[in-house]
Amino acid sequence: MKNGIVKNGIIYGPNGSGKSNMGLAVFDIANHLSHKWKKPDYYVNFVNASNMGEVVDFEYTFKFNGTILEYAYSKRIQNSNVRIVKERLLLDGEEMLYKDEQTAKLSGSLSLPDTAIDGFQKSANNISLINFLLISLPLPKEHFLLLLRDFVENMHFFRSLDNREFIGLKEGGSNVEEYLINNGLVDEFSEFLKTVSRQDFNFAKPVPGDKMLFCVFGETKIPFALIASTGTLNLELQFFWLCEMKNASFVFVDEFDAFYHHELSFAICKQLFKGEMQTFVSTHDTFLLTNDLLRPDCFFILNNKKIKAICDLTDKELRLGHNLEKLYRGGTFGVCDEITA
């Protein structure tokens, strides 16, 4: 917990319960407001296929320097395109802006000429009212719209299962090994592997123009990618994002430990959670369900279309000495069909 907000959390749930979809739903706002890297196929796949004309609502609450910002919007699929049909933003309970398909209104502090509002309302390019204001208004530093924009621009979702995929934080893709070489991070990556997985790789010193890492065996150099296991290659990606996400605001790592031993998963969580950013991961590994890593109110179970902290799923008082993993497997929290990855 930090300032009354869950800073780090771990999300559990049976296969198919919606853990990945929940992460993607949270990041809809990044696709909606951010100019960073996006997954267009995720952005259009937000509505239940049985009712493609349904309007879907999204609501977010932010806390900036003690100020509460509430942003809500609704959208739907219209003529195979995504259309924003409503937006509303509250600042400490006061409505700052509202837009629907018939009206658009702003508070006095966000005043624009009536002709500008009328032109916005009649436009066919479906731009967000917030994006319109960010482009149109000169705003002072620390203005709530700039704080909102900066937070969303630095949100980051990633996973590495069949494909390496991410949303937000960066402008485009990267060659991970070329990034490590160009930024002088090869030795640091080697130490990272030793620390979290006790693997000792002897990397060749890169020369100008190198775009991949090589391991040295006597007089022989072999590409790291050819000898590293699937889990170790995922550690390479994890290290890359740990370097990149130092300035991230909110991070969601989906199935972050799909290829890791449980002790390695624990070590990676320690690395992820020590940063300043708000970080959530989804997993099936119950070894991580321990007071040594997080408090009980920071572990969540998603099941039957609801998500709750484990402390709210039992009448028992969860204390420091409790074995949370044993309680979970025993069905105390209502789900007992998980197995350690």
Side-chain angles (χ1 to χ4, degrees), residues 78-98:
Q78 184 174 327
N79 298 324
S80 300
N81 295 313
V82 178
R83 182 161 186 82
I84 300 168
V85 297
K86 185 187 295 184
E87 278 186 285
R88 189 180 189 223
L89 188 143
L90 304 178
L91 181 65
D92 285 334
E94 181 182 353
E95 187 175 84
M96 293 289 104
L97 63 86
Y98 177 86

mmCIF file with all atom_site columns, all heavy atoms in Angstrom, residues 78-98:
data_model
loop_
_atom_site.group_PDB
_atom_site.id
_atom_site.type_symbol
_atom_site.label_atom_id
_atom_site.label_alt_id
_atom_site.label_comp_id
_atom_site.label_asym_id
_atom_site.label_entity_id
_atom_site.label_seq_id
_atom_site.pdbx_PDB_ins_code
_atom_site.Cartn_x
_atom_site.Cartn_y
_atom_site.Cartn_z
_atom_site.occupancy
_atom_site.B_iso_or_equiv
_atom_site.pdbx_formal_charge
_atom_site.auth_seq_id
_atom_site.auth_comp_id
_atom_site.auth_asym_id
_atom_site.auth_atom_id
_atom_site.pdbx_PDB_model_num
ATOM 1   N N   . GLN A 1 78 ? -19.271 1.131  -34.564 1.00 0.00 ? 78 GLN A N   1
ATOM 2   C CA  . GLN A 1 78 ? -20.248 1.707  -35.484 1.00 0.00 ? 78 GLN A CA  1
ATOM 3   C C   . GLN A 1 78 ? -19.659 1.690  -36.888 1.00 0.00 ? 78 GLN A C   1
ATOM 4   O O   . GLN A 1 78 ? -18.619 2.290  -37.139 1.00 0.00 ? 78 GLN A O   1
ATOM 5   C CB  . GLN A 1 78 ? -20.579 3.145  -35.067 1.00 0.00 ? 78 GLN A CB  1
ATOM 6   C CG  . GLN A 1 78 ? -21.656 3.800  -35.915 1.00 0.00 ? 78 GLN A CG  1
ATOM 7   C CD  . GLN A 1 78 ? -22.037 5.163  -35.358 1.00 0.00 ? 78 GLN A CD  1
ATOM 8   O OE1 . GLN A 1 78 ? -22.013 5.400  -34.155 1.00 0.00 ? 78 GLN A OE1 1
ATOM 9   N NE2 . GLN A 1 78 ? -22.388 6.066  -36.241 1.00 0.00 ? 78 GLN A NE2 1
ATOM 10  N N   . ASN A 1 79 ? -20.317 0.953  -37.779 1.00 0.00 ? 79 ASN A N   1
ATOM 11  C CA  . ASN A 1 79 ? -19.837 0.814  -39.164 1.00 0.00 ? 79 ASN A CA  1
ATOM 12  C C   . ASN A 1 79 ? -18.383 0.318  -39.201 1.00 0.00 ? 79 ASN A C   1
ATOM 13  O O   . ASN A 1 79 ? -17.535 0.848  -39.927 1.00 0.00 ? 79 ASN A O   1
ATOM 14  C CB  . ASN A 1 79 ? -19.942 2.148  -39.903 1.00 0.00 ? 79 ASN A CB  1
ATOM 15  C CG  . ASN A 1 79 ? -21.372 2.649  -39.999 1.00 0.00 ? 79 ASN A CG  1
ATOM 16  O OD1 . ASN A 1 79 ? -22.307 1.856  -40.151 1.00 0.00 ? 79 ASN A OD1 1
ATOM 17  N ND2 . ASN A 1 79 ? -21.558 3.964  -39.892 1.00 0.00 ? 79 ASN A ND2 1
ATOM 18  N N   . SER A 1 80 ? -18.108 -0.676 -38.374 1.00 0.00 ? 80 SER A N   1
ATOM 19  C CA  . SER A 1 80 ? -16.784 -1.316 -38.281 1.00 0.00 ? 80 SER A CA  1
ATOM 20  C C   . SER A 1 80 ? -15.719 -0.404 -37.693 1.00 0.00 ? 80 SER A C   1
ATOM 21  O O   . SER A 1 80 ? -14.532 -0.739 -37.717 1.00 0.00 ? 80 SER A O   1
ATOM 22  C CB  . SER A 1 80 ? -16.321 -1.811 -39.666 1.00 0.00 ? 80 SER A CB  1
ATOM 23  O OG  . SER A 1 80 ? -17.231 -2.750 -40.186 1.00 0.00 ? 80 SER A OG  1
ATOM 24  N N   . ASN A 1 81 ? -16.105 0.748  -37.156 1.00 0.00 ? 81 ASN A N   1
ATOM 25  C CA  . ASN A 1 81 ? -15.172 1.672  -36.521 1.00 0.00 ? 81 ASN A CA  1
ATOM 26  C C   . ASN A 1 81 ? -15.534 1.870  -35.057 1.00 0.00 ? 81 ASN A C   1
ATOM 27  O O   . ASN A 1 81 ? -16.698 1.727  -34.665 1.00 0.00 ? 81 ASN A O   1
ATOM 28  C CB  . ASN A 1 81 ? -15.172 3.031  -37.236 1.00 0.00 ? 81 ASN A CB  1
ATOM 29  C CG  . ASN A 1 81 ? -14.649 2.935  -38.656 1.00 0.00 ? 81 ASN A CG  1
ATOM 30  O OD1 . ASN A 1 81 ? -13.612 2.328  -38.899 1.00 0.00 ? 81 ASN A OD1 1
ATOM 31  N ND2 . ASN A 1 81 ? -15.375 3.538  -39.600 1.00 0.00 ? 81 ASN A ND2 1
ATOM 32  N N   . VAL A 1 82 ? -14.521 2.217  -34.258 1.00 0.00 ? 82 VAL A N   1
ATOM 33  C CA  . VAL A 1 82 ? -14.757 2.516  -32.852 1.00 0.00 ? 82 VAL A CA  1
ATOM 34  C C   . VAL A 1 82 ? -15.185 3.974  -32.724 1.00 0.00 ? 82 VAL A C   1
ATOM 35  O O   . VAL A 1 82 ? -14.515 4.875  -33.242 1.00 0.00 ? 82 VAL A O   1
ATOM 36  C CB  . VAL A 1 82 ? -13.486 2.266  -32.019 1.00 0.00 ? 82 VAL A CB  1
ATOM 37  C CG1 . VAL A 1 82 ? -13.738 2.644  -30.561 1.00 0.00 ? 82 VAL A CG1 1
ATOM 38  C CG2 . VAL A 1 82 ? -13.045 0.817  -32.126 1.00 0.00 ? 82 VAL A CG2 1
ATOM 39  N N   . ARG A 1 83 ? -16.289 4.211  -32.026 1.00 0.00 ? 83 ARG A N   1
ATOM 40  C CA  . ARG A 1 83 ? -16.786 5.587  -31.855 1.00 0.00 ? 83 ARG A CA  1
ATOM 41  C C   . ARG A 1 83 ? -16.977 5.889  -30.370 1.00 0.00 ? 83 ARG A C   1
ATOM 42  O O   . ARG A 1 83 ? -17.622 5.138  -29.644 1.00 0.00 ? 83 ARG A O   1
ATOM 43  C CB  . ARG A 1 83 ? -18.091 5.790  -32.601 1.00 0.00 ? 83 ARG A CB  1
ATOM 44  C CG  . ARG A 1 83 ? -18.618 7.218  -32.480 1.00 0.00 ? 83 ARG A CG  1
ATOM 45  C CD  . ARG A 1 83 ? -19.625 7.563  -33.547 1.00 0.00 ? 83 ARG A CD  1
ATOM 46  N NE  . ARG A 1 83 ? -19.993 8.976  -33.482 1.00 0.00 ? 83 ARG A NE  1
ATOM 47  C CZ  . ARG A 1 83 ? -19.282 9.968  -34.015 1.00 0.00 ? 83 ARG A CZ  1
ATOM 48  N NH1 . ARG A 1 83 ? -18.161 9.683  -34.655 1.00 0.00 ? 83 ARG A NH1 1
ATOM 49  N NH2 . ARG A 1 83 ? -19.675 11.219 -33.925 1.00 0.00 ? 83 ARG A NH2 1
ATOM 50  N N   . ILE A 1 84 ? -16.389 7.009  -29.928 1.00 0.00 ? 84 ILE A N   1
ATOM 51  C CA  . ILE A 1 84 ? -16.583 7.474  -28.561 1.00 0.00 ? 84 ILE A CA  1
ATOM 52  C C   . ILE A 1 84 ? -17.939 8.179  -28.500 1.00 0.00 ? 84 ILE A C   1
ATOM 53  O O   . ILE A 1 84 ? -18.177 9.143  -29.231 1.00 0.00 ? 84 ILE A O   1
ATOM 54  C CB  . ILE A 1 84 ? -15.473 8.457  -28.154 1.00 0.00 ? 84 ILE A CB  1
ATOM 55  C CG1 . ILE A 1 84 ? -14.104 7.779  -28.250 1.00 0.00 ? 84 ILE A CG1 1
ATOM 56  C CG2 . ILE A 1 84 ? -15.709 8.982  -26.735 1.00 0.00 ? 84 ILE A CG2 1
ATOM 57  C CD1 . ILE A 1 84 ? -12.938 8.731  -28.154 1.00 0.00 ? 84 ILE A CD1 1
ATOM 58  N N   . VAL A 1 85 ? -18.827 7.697  -27.646 1.00 0.00 ? 85 VAL A N   1
ATOM 59  C CA  . VAL A 1 85 ? -20.177 8.265  -27.594 1.00 0.00 ? 85 VAL A CA  1
ATOM 60  C C   . VAL A 1 85 ? -20.401 9.142  -26.366 1.00 0.00 ? 85 VAL A C   1
ATOM 61  O O   . VAL A 1 85 ? -21.365 9.915  -26.320 1.00 0.00 ? 85 VAL A O   1
ATOM 62  C CB  . VAL A 1 85 ? -21.247 7.153  -27.642 1.00 0.00 ? 85 VAL A CB  1
ATOM 63  C CG1 . VAL A 1 85 ? -21.159 6.400  -28.955 1.00 0.00 ? 85 VAL A CG1 1
ATOM 64  C CG2 . VAL A 1 85 ? -21.125 6.199  -26.463 1.00 0.00 ? 85 VAL A CG2 1
ATOM 65  N N   . LYS A 1 86 ? -19.503 9.045  -25.378 1.00 0.00 ? 86 LYS A N   1
ATOM 66  C CA  . LYS A 1 86 ? -19.670 9.869  -24.180 1.00 0.00 ? 86 LYS A CA  1
ATOM 67  C C   . LYS A 1 86 ? -18.329 10.002 -23.469 1.00 0.00 ? 86 LYS A C   1
ATOM 68  O O   . LYS A 1 86 ? -17.532 9.066  -23.435 1.00 0.00 ? 86 LYS A O   1
ATOM 69  C CB  . LYS A 1 86 ? -20.703 9.254  -23.232 1.00 0.00 ? 86 LYS A CB  1
ATOM 70  C CG  . LYS A 1 86 ? -21.030 10.114 -22.005 1.00 0.00 ? 86 LYS A CG  1
ATOM 71  C CD  . LYS A 1 86 ? -21.927 9.374  -21.029 1.00 0.00 ? 86 LYS A CD  1
ATOM 72  C CE  . LYS A 1 86 ? -23.297 9.079  -21.602 1.00 0.00 ? 86 LYS A CE  1
ATOM 73  N NZ  . LYS A 1 86 ? -24.190 8.444  -20.591 1.00 0.00 ? 86 LYS A NZ  1
ATOM 74  N N   . GLU A 1 87 ? -18.091 11.178 -22.896 1.00 0.00 ? 87 GLU A N   1
ATOM 75  C CA  . GLU A 1 87 ? -16.926 11.417 -22.047 1.00 0.00 ? 87 GLU A CA  1
ATOM 76  C C   . GLU A 1 87 ? -17.341 12.309 -20.887 1.00 0.00 ? 87 GLU A C   1
ATOM 77  O O   . GLU A 1 87 ? -18.154 13.234 -21.052 1.00 0.00 ? 87 GLU A O   1
ATOM 78  C CB  . GLU A 1 87 ? -15.812 12.144 -22.810 1.00 0.00 ? 87 GLU A CB  1
ATOM 79  C CG  . GLU A 1 87 ? -14.938 11.278 -23.666 1.00 0.00 ? 87 GLU A CG  1
ATOM 80  C CD  . GLU A 1 87 ? -13.786 12.083 -24.264 1.00 0.00 ? 87 GLU A CD  1
ATOM 81  O OE1 . GLU A 1 87 ? -14.038 12.866 -25.210 1.00 0.00 ? 87 GLU A OE1 1
ATOM 82  O OE2 . GLU A 1 87 ? -12.660 11.939 -23.773 1.00 0.00 ? 87 GLU A OE2 1
ATOM 83  N N   . ARG A 1 88 ? -16.756 12.063 -19.720 1.00 0.00 ? 88 ARG A N   1
ATOM 84  C CA  . ARG A 1 88 ? -17.031 12.907 -18.557 1.00 0.00 ? 88 ARG A CA  1
ATOM 85  C C   . ARG A 1 88 ? -15.807 12.903 -17.655 1.00 0.00 ? 88 ARG A C   1
ATOM 86  O O   . ARG A 1 88 ? -15.204 11.845 -17.432 1.00 0.00 ? 88 ARG A O   1
ATOM 87  C CB  . ARG A 1 88 ? -18.248 12.392 -17.791 1.00 0.00 ? 88 ARG A CB  1
ATOM 88  C CG  . ARG A 1 88 ? -18.731 13.356 -16.694 1.00 0.00 ? 88 ARG A CG  1
ATOM 89  C CD  . ARG A 1 88 ? -19.949 12.791 -15.979 1.00 0.00 ? 88 ARG A CD  1
ATOM 90  N NE  . ARG A 1 88 ? -20.553 13.765 -15.092 1.00 0.00 ? 88 ARG A NE  1
ATOM 91  C CZ  . ARG A 1 88 ? -20.984 13.466 -13.868 1.00 0.00 ? 88 ARG A CZ  1
ATOM 92  N NH1 . ARG A 1 88 ? -20.890 12.232 -13.390 1.00 0.00 ? 88 ARG A NH1 1
ATOM 93  N NH2 . ARG A 1 88 ? -21.532 14.398 -13.102 1.00 0.00 ? 88 ARG A NH2 1
ATOM 94  N N   . LEU A 1 89 ? -15.439 14.084 -17.156 1.00 0.00 ? 89 LEU A N   1
ATOM 95  C CA  . LEU A 1 89 ? -14.294 14.180 -16.263 1.00 0.00 ? 89 LEU A CA  1
ATOM 96  C C   . LEU A 1 89 ? -14.656 15.033 -15.057 1.00 0.00 ? 89 LEU A C   1
ATOM 97  O O   . LEU A 1 89 ? -15.177 16.147 -15.203 1.00 0.00 ? 89 LEU A O   1
ATOM 98  C CB  . LEU A 1 89 ? -13.090 14.779 -16.999 1.00 0.00 ? 89 LEU A CB  1
ATOM 99  C CG  . LEU A 1 89 ? -11.759 14.757 -16.235 1.00 0.00 ? 89 LEU A CG  1
ATOM 100 C CD1 . LEU A 1 89 ? -10.592 14.487 -17.177 1.00 0.00 ? 89 LEU A CD1 1
ATOM 101 C CD2 . LEU A 1 89 ? -11.533 16.067 -15.496 1.00 0.00 ? 89 LEU A CD2 1
ATOM 102 N N   . LEU A 1 90 ? -14.401 14.491 -13.858 1.00 0.00 ? 90 LEU A N   1
ATOM 103 C CA  . LEU A 1 90 ? -14.669 15.185 -12.596 1.00 0.00 ? 90 LEU A CA  1
ATOM 104 C C   . LEU A 1 90 ? -13.358 15.467 -11.884 1.00 0.00 ? 90 LEU A C   1
ATOM 105 O O   . LEU A 1 90 ? -12.473 14.602 -11.835 1.00 0.00 ? 90 LEU A O   1
ATOM 106 C CB  . LEU A 1 90 ? -15.571 14.358 -11.684 1.00 0.00 ? 90 LEU A CB  1
ATOM 107 C CG  . LEU A 1 90 ? -16.927 13.901 -12.222 1.00 0.00 ? 90 LEU A CG  1
ATOM 108 C CD1 . LEU A 1 90 ? -17.648 13.057 -11.181 1.00 0.00 ? 90 LEU A CD1 1
ATOM 109 C CD2 . LEU A 1 90 ? -17.789 15.085 -12.626 1.00 0.00 ? 90 LEU A CD2 1
ATOM 110 N N   . LEU A 1 91 ? -13.239 16.648 -11.303 1.00 0.00 ? 91 LEU A N   1
ATOM 111 C CA  . LEU A 1 91 ? -12.082 17.020 -10.495 1.00 0.00 ? 91 LEU A CA  1
ATOM 112 C C   . LEU A 1 91 ? -12.573 17.291 -9.078  1.00 0.00 ? 91 LEU A C   1
ATOM 113 O O   . LEU A 1 91 ? -13.302 18.259 -8.840  1.00 0.00 ? 91 LEU A O   1
ATOM 114 C CB  . LEU A 1 91 ? -11.407 18.260 -11.081 1.00 0.00 ? 91 LEU A CB  1
ATOM 115 C CG  . LEU A 1 91 ? -10.161 18.769 -10.350 1.00 0.00 ? 91 LEU A CG  1
ATOM 116 C CD1 . LEU A 1 91 ? -9.039  17.740 -10.447 1.00 0.00 ? 91 LEU A CD1 1
ATOM 117 C CD2 . LEU A 1 91 ? -9.711  20.106 -10.912 1.00 0.00 ? 91 LEU A CD2 1
ATOM 118 N N   . ASP A 1 92 ? -12.200 16.411 -8.155  1.00 0.00 ? 92 ASP A N   1
ATOM 119 C CA  . ASP A 1 92 ? -12.695 16.491 -6.773  1.00 0.00 ? 92 ASP A CA  1
ATOM 120 C C   . ASP A 1 92 ? -14.209 16.640 -6.732  1.00 0.00 ? 92 ASP A C   1
ATOM 121 O O   . ASP A 1 92 ? -14.773 17.453 -5.987  1.00 0.00 ? 92 ASP A O   1
ATOM 122 C CB  . ASP A 1 92 ? -12.031 17.657 -6.034  1.00 0.00 ? 92 ASP A CB  1
ATOM 123 C CG  . ASP A 1 92 ? -10.585 17.357 -5.651  1.00 0.00 ? 92 ASP A CG  1
ATOM 124 O OD1 . ASP A 1 92 ? -10.246 16.162 -5.484  1.00 0.00 ? 92 ASP A OD1 1
ATOM 125 O OD2 . ASP A 1 92 ? -9.798  18.313 -5.518  1.00 0.00 ? 92 ASP A OD2 1
ATOM 126 N N   . GLY A 1 93 ? -14.875 15.855 -7.590  1.00 0.00 ? 93 GLY A N   1
ATOM 127 C CA  . GLY A 1 93 ? -16.332 15.816 -7.606  1.00 0.00 ? 93 GLY A CA  1
ATOM 128 C C   . GLY A 1 93 ? -16.995 16.863 -8.484  1.00 0.00 ? 93 GLY A C   1
ATOM 129 O O   . GLY A 1 93 ? -18.207 16.794 -8.719  1.00 0.00 ? 93 GLY A O   1
ATOM 130 N N   . GLU A 1 94 ? -16.241 17.850 -8.971  1.00 0.00 ? 94 GLU A N   1
ATOM 131 C CA  . GLU A 1 94 ? -16.809 18.898 -9.826  1.00 0.00 ? 94 GLU A CA  1
ATOM 132 C C   . GLU A 1 94 ? -16.627 18.534 -11.293 1.00 0.00 ? 94 GLU A C   1
ATOM 133 O O   . GLU A 1 94 ? -15.523 18.189 -11.720 1.00 0.00 ? 94 GLU A O   1
ATOM 134 C CB  . GLU A 1 94 ? -16.125 20.239 -9.546  1.00 0.00 ? 94 GLU A CB  1
ATOM 135 C CG  . GLU A 1 94 ? -16.674 21.385 -10.382 1.00 0.00 ? 94 GLU A CG  1
ATOM 136 C CD  . GLU A 1 94 ? -15.948 22.693 -10.130 1.00 0.00 ? 94 GLU A CD  1
ATOM 137 O OE1 . GLU A 1 94 ? -15.104 22.733 -9.218  1.00 0.00 ? 94 GLU A OE1 1
ATOM 138 O OE2 . GLU A 1 94 ? -16.222 23.666 -10.863 1.00 0.00 ? 94 GLU A OE2 1
ATOM 139 N N   . GLU A 1 95 ? -17.699 18.628 -12.067 1.00 0.00 ? 95 GLU A N   1
ATOM 140 C CA  . GLU A 1 95 ? -17.632 18.271 -13.474 1.00 0.00 ? 95 GLU A CA  1
ATOM 141 C C   . GLU A 1 95 ? -16.827 19.304 -14.261 1.00 0.00 ? 95 GLU A C   1
ATOM 142 O O   . GLU A 1 95 ? -17.154 20.487 -14.277 1.00 0.00 ? 95 GLU A O   1
ATOM 143 C CB  . GLU A 1 95 ? -19.037 18.154 -14.057 1.00 0.00 ? 95 GLU A CB  1
ATOM 144 C CG  . GLU A 1 95 ? -19.063 17.623 -15.485 1.00 0.00 ? 95 GLU A CG  1
ATOM 145 C CD  . GLU A 1 95 ? -20.470 17.387 -16.006 1.00 0.00 ? 95 GLU A CD  1
ATOM 146 O OE1 . GLU A 1 95 ? -21.094 18.367 -16.486 1.00 0.00 ? 95 GLU A OE1 1
ATOM 147 O OE2 . GLU A 1 95 ? -20.953 16.246 -15.909 1.00 0.00 ? 95 GLU A OE2 1
ATOM 148 N N   . MET A 1 96 ? -15.760 18.821 -14.912 1.00 0.00 ? 96 MET A N   1
ATOM 149 C CA  . MET A 1 96 ? -14.899 19.687 -15.711 1.00 0.00 ? 96 MET A CA  1
ATOM 150 C C   . MET A 1 96 ? -15.272 19.667 -17.192 1.00 0.00 ? 96 MET A C   1
ATOM 151 O O   . MET A 1 96 ? -15.133 20.659 -17.884 1.00 0.00 ? 96 MET A O   1
ATOM 152 C CB  . MET A 1 96 ? -13.437 19.258 -15.556 1.00 0.00 ? 96 MET A CB  1
ATOM 153 C CG  . MET A 1 96 ? -12.850 19.463 -14.181 1.00 0.00 ? 96 MET A CG  1
ATOM 154 S SD  . MET A 1 96 ? -12.589 21.222 -13.793 1.00 0.00 ? 96 MET A SD  1
ATOM 155 C CE  . MET A 1 96 ? -13.951 21.519 -12.672 1.00 0.00 ? 96 MET A CE  1
ATOM 156 N N   . LEU A 1 97 ? -15.728 18.517 -17.650 1.00 0.00 ? 97 LEU A N   1
ATOM 157 C CA  . LEU A 1 97 ? -16.146 18.427 -19.050 1.00 0.00 ? 97 LEU A CA  1
ATOM 158 C C   . LEU A 1 97 ? -17.144 17.294 -19.209 1.00 0.00 ? 97 LEU A C   1
ATOM 159 O O   . LEU A 1 97 ? -17.147 16.329 -18.446 1.00 0.00 ? 97 LEU A O   1
ATOM 160 C CB  . LEU A 1 97 ? -14.951 18.229 -19.983 1.00 0.00 ? 97 LEU A CB  1
ATOM 161 C CG  . LEU A 1 97 ? -14.091 16.965 -19.858 1.00 0.00 ? 97 LEU A CG  1
ATOM 162 C CD1 . LEU A 1 97 ? -14.652 15.789 -20.653 1.00 0.00 ? 97 LEU A CD1 1
ATOM 163 C CD2 . LEU A 1 97 ? -12.674 17.269 -20.318 1.00 0.00 ? 97 LEU A CD2 1
ATOM 164 N N   . TYR A 1 98 ? -17.980 17.462 -20.193 1.00 0.00 ? 98 TYR A N   1
ATOM 165 C CA  . TYR A 1 98 ? -18.959 16.422 -20.537 1.00 0.00 ? 98 TYR A CA  1
ATOM 166 C C   . TYR A 1 98 ? -19.217 16.482 -22.033 1.00 0.00 ? 98 TYR A C   1
ATOM 167 O O   . TYR A 1 98 ? -19.346 17.563 -22.625 1.00 0.00 ? 98 TYR A O   1
ATOM 168 C CB  . TYR A 1 98 ? -20.279 16.632 -19.779 1.00 0.00 ? 98 TYR A CB  1
ATOM 169 C CG  . TYR A 1 98 ? -21.346 15.620 -20.164 1.00 0.00 ? 98 TYR A CG  1
ATOM 170 C CD1 . TYR A 1 98 ? -21.403 14.386 -19.537 1.00 0.00 ? 98 TYR A CD1 1
ATOM 171 C CD2 . TYR A 1 98 ? -22.264 15.902 -21.176 1.00 0.00 ? 98 TYR A CD2 1
ATOM 172 C CE1 . TYR A 1 98 ? -22.359 13.437 -19.905 1.00 0.00 ? 98 TYR A CE1 1
ATOM 173 C CE2 . TYR A 1 98 ? -23.216 14.974 -21.554 1.00 0.00 ? 98 TYR A CE2 1
ATOM 174 C CZ  . TYR A 1 98 ? -23.262 13.736 -20.918 1.00 0.00 ? 98 TYR A CZ  1
ATOM 175 O OH  . TYR A 1 98 ? -24.190 12.801 -21.291 1.00 0.00 ? 98 TYR A OH  1
#
